[in-house]
Amino acid sequence: MAKDNTVLDTNIANHEDAHEITKEGAFNRQKNRFTAPFGDSPGELPVEAGRYRLLWARICPWAHRAVIVRELLGLQDIISLGTASPVRTENGWEFSLDEGGVDPVLGIRYLPEIYAETDPEYSGRATVPTVVDVTTRKVVNNDYFRLTNYFETAFKPFHKAGAPDLYPEELRAEIDEFNDILFHEVNNAVYKAGFAQSQAAYEQAYDLLFARLDQLEERLSTRRYLFGDTLTDSDVRFYVTLARFDAAYYSVFRTNRNRIIDFPNIWNYAKDLYQTPGFGDTTDFDSIKRGYQLGNHANNPYQLLAKGPDVSIWNEPHDRNKFSK
Ligand SMILES: N[C@@H](CCC(=O)N[C@@H](CS)C(=O)NCC(=O)O)C(=O)O
């Protein structure tokens, strides 16, 4: 846990404590601790309706993607959802949005409580997303990288009728390869820029990020979604970074070569997704701004919240229907 009592996910001290800064000043994200897969083989987490609770905070892109996929696939009654407040406290993510300030199912005030109950030896950061087995009160999975894929595959028997196939078998290898690039060069590159402790590490992340965004701008000039005419898991992963970019990363993480609204194809694509049920209705720009801007107390000692940007433009028309047949 961070020593500073005003911490947030954007507080670098938090990551120093968790030994996530290399000697070159670069951010090297901690490994997930709870990675058991969901499935019906021995050692896998049994897939059952009502057994698991997904814990998230609206600021967090890694958790947001699991929430979007849960919505798209209609898993809301199968996996319950607990929401922590957007500004992380000195004691970790707090369930202060709930009555009495505790999660109504688990009865915890702070996320680290359930990590400590599960593994008293755990010394890493208690992160969202976290999946808890409510029958055992144990954290069973915090594998933000693969969680959406489990919802898409192992939870298939529970998908709503007509749910999109976000992870089609014939595309899985390609999607995995793409998601890996997306992680290193977009989703995590913004954090690498924001958490860098040397000019070189910051510039390296910045250059990597914008070179990839330029390529994605090009890719989206010929197709509605990243893999063509239908939504995939990769679109969800790209979207969560886009939704945070202009409101947070651009200023807080200094990823300011240009804004997302300056990329014509990416911006129209982002609006298209935002206006699709599951995306915009789970996106809370106010929480995003608070989480990133107020979270870093050292960089914002007077706790001022930027008034802009105007987020009403996410509801403006997009031009992506031009790709529909
Ligand atoms: N589990 C991953 C990714 C998830 C993650 O970083 N979530 C952030 C919120 S976006 C979090 O919960 N941070 C808590 C902390 O830093 O203590 C990690 O450990 O780096």
Side-chain angles (χ1 to χ4, degrees):
M1 286 281 103
K3 292 167 208 138
D4 187 326
N5 63 0
T6 50
V7 268
L8 279 222
D9 185 47
T10 46
N11 190 337
I12 198 71
N14 196 32
H15 299 97
E16 278 171 345
D17 287 357
H19 307 293
E20 292 173 288
I21 303 296
T22 69
K23 57 180 190 326
E24 289 78 31
F27 172 53
N28 187 24
R29 188 173 288 279
Q30 71 175 2
K31 290 214 166 29
N32 298 307
R33 156 73 175 78
F34 300 96
T35 55
F38 291 85
D40 49 19
S41 303
E44 295 187 333
L45 301 165
V47 177
E48 287 171 23
R51 181 157 180 171
Y52 300 104
R53 186 161 181 78
L54 172 63
L55 302 175
W56 79 310
R58 291 191 174 99
I59 170 195
C60 179
W62 316 107
H64 190 193
R65 60 203 205 181
V67 171
I68 294 172
V69 168
R70 172 179 172 271
E71 293 280 325
L72 293 174
L73 301 178
L75 294 173
Q76 298 94 323
D77 294 336
I78 307 301
I79 301 164
S80 70
L81 190 65
T83 306
S85 55
V87 183
R88 199 165 57 78
T89 74
E90 60 174 332
N91 297 317
W93 295 111
E94 185 184 16
F95 291 93
S96 55
L97 303 173
D98 292 305
E99 213 182 310
V102 294
D103 176 75
V105 170
L106 300 168
I108 53 169
R109 184 168 295 272
Y110 298 106
L111 184 67
E113 292 171 34
I114 201 78
Y115 276 74
E117 259 185 69
T118 305
D119 176 3
E121 307 288 303
Y122 183 70
S123 61
R125 295 181 287 114
T127 53
V128 287
T130 291
V131 178
V132 177
D133 180 338
V134 295
T135 66
T136 60
R137 286 185 60 84
K138 294 217 182 307
V139 174
V140 290
N141 192 292
N142 73 342
D143 187 352
Y144 68 95
F145 196 79
R146 289 186 193 80
L147 199 51
T148 55
N149 299 139
Y150 297 132
F151 290 178
E152 289 150 355
T153 56
F155 281 82
K156 202 158 202 135
F158 296 110
H159 289 184
K160 69 179 178 193
D165 186 356
L166 298 172
Y167 199 42
E169 274 197 70
E170 67 282 6
L171 283 179
R172 279 184 198 169
E174 236 185 295
I175 289 177
D176 288 350
E177 199 182 326
F178 186 87
N179 286 350
D180 219 46
I181 294 171
L182 208 51
F183 173 77
H184 288 291
E185 302 186 12
V186 178
N187 306 137
N188 201 40
V190 291
Y191 281 90
K192 288 200 161 197
F195 292 164
Q197 293 193 1
S198 70
Q199 187 67 23
Y202 158 68
E203 288 192 17
Q204 199 180 11
Y206 176 108
D207 291 343
L208 196 68
L209 168 69
F210 283 103
R212 180 56 60 184
L213 288 177
D214 287 340
Q215 281 188 10
L216 292 168
E217 171 69 6
E218 190 58 38
R219 183 177 178 117
L220 289 170
S221 68
T222 55
R223 51 192 119 185
R224 182 165 185 171
Y225 303 113
L226 290 167
F227 280 89
D229 293 333
T230 56
L231 271 178
T232 63
D233 182 84
S234 302
D235 295 299
V236 176
R237 293 178 190 230
F238 191 23
Y239 171 80
V240 296
T241 296
L242 298 178
R244 285 157 181 76
F245 206 98
D246 293 359
Y249 304 146
Y250 181 88
S251 54
V252 180
F253 287 174
R254 303 182 185 89
T255 54
N256 59 0
R257 195 194 77 183
N258 45 259
R259 299 161 304 175
I260 289 308
I261 62 170
D262 302 320
F263 290 99
N265 296 318
I266 296 178
W267 172 229
N268 276 284
Y269 162 86
K271 281 189 288 185
D272 184 10
L273 295 182
Y274 180 80
Q275 293 166 29
T276 301
F279 288 86
D281 47 13
T282 60
T283 301
D284 180 356
F285 290 115
D286 185 58
S287 291
I288 290 170
K289 282 173 57 175
R290 284 177 188 283
Y292 285 102
Q293 295 179 20
L294 304 183
N296 193 339
H297 206 271
N299 275 354
N300 191 355
Y302 300 108
Q303 292 287 278
L304 301 180
L305 191 62
K307 198 167 172 187
D310 174 13
V311 293
S312 68
I313 58 175
W314 284 80
N315 285 311
E316 287 177 359
H318 62 81
D319 67 2
R320 307 297 288 172
N321 287 319
K322 65 189 179 196
F323 295 111
S324 304
K325 291 182 188 129

